[in-house]
Amino acid sequence: LAPSFALAHPHFSKTVTAKLPSGAEATITYGTTPANLGRAESAEVGAFVSPRGPKLMLSAAASSGGTEIPAGEYTIGVIKNSADDWTMALYTGGLARGETPDEAKIIKLDSMYSSDSGTAEHMLIDITPGHGKFEGKAVLTLHFGNMLLAGAIS
């Protein structure tokens, strides 16, 4: 019998940088992770969830739907509103794995959620031009399995 080799499933460290309409520079850093929808399904309603703790660094203040977002570092996450509704959110500073988030440090973004925008086998995070109600704004997107969240950030 010939020896067999198991190839490790690769994960990548990614960095995305964009200049927002406000002039602020936004930099996302994250590690790819398989889209495990079972984890999303088992999350409690109201829970802030942050797969692998992706970060957003803002060089200057920005806003989302009238909410001020000061310059600084944030953990990117989502809040489960119900089984089929989520909100994009930022957690001020870092959040250690397993740490319970301080509700006072969570900033909810003006968000849109879709479960019919295709499938991302691995988590994808980006900053893209908005459309629809986000036309003319920069949008922070998180695509995880069939879940696509978009949060305005300008």
Side-chain angles (χ1 to χ4, degrees):
L1 291 175
S4 64
F5 295 94
L7 296 176
H9 187 78
H11 294 281
F12 304 106
S13 295
K14 297 181 83 173
T15 302
V16 176
T17 302
K19 186 154 251 175
L20 303 179
S22 66
E25 186 170 275
T27 302
I28 299 167
T29 55
Y30 73 103
T32 60
T33 186
N36 180 349
L37 291 176
R39 302 264 292 170
E41 291 166 4
S42 67
E44 292 183 30
V45 170
F48 176 85
V49 180
S50 180
R52 295 181 76 99
K55 303 288 186 225
L56 171 67
M57 177 66 76
L58 293 174
S59 68
S63 66
S64 181
T67 300
E68 177 78 13
I69 305 169
E73 182 180 81
Y74 298 89
T75 300
I76 300 168
V78 296
I79 297 172
K80 185 175 187 175
N81 300 317
S82 69
D84 58 357
D85 184 34
W86 296 75
T87 297
M88 179 77 81
L90 300 174
Y91 186 82
T92 305
L95 188 63
R97 189 178 187 124
E99 181 181 351
T100 301
D102 176 352
E103 297 286 328
K105 293 184 173 185
I106 295 174
I107 300 171
K108 293 180 181 179
L109 302 182
D110 184 13
S111 300
M112 290 191 309
Y113 170 77
S114 172
S115 61
D116 61 2
S117 296
T119 300
E121 297 300 329
H122 287 80
M123 179 174 67
L124 299 171
I125 304 174
D126 203 352
I127 297 172
T128 63
H131 68 279
K133 81 174 196 172
F134 293 148
E135 187 70 38
K137 298 177 182 172
V139 178
L140 177 63
T141 61
L142 189 149
H143 200 170
F144 189 84
N146 68 335
M147 300 169 60
L148 176 64
L149 281 110
I153 184 167
S154 298

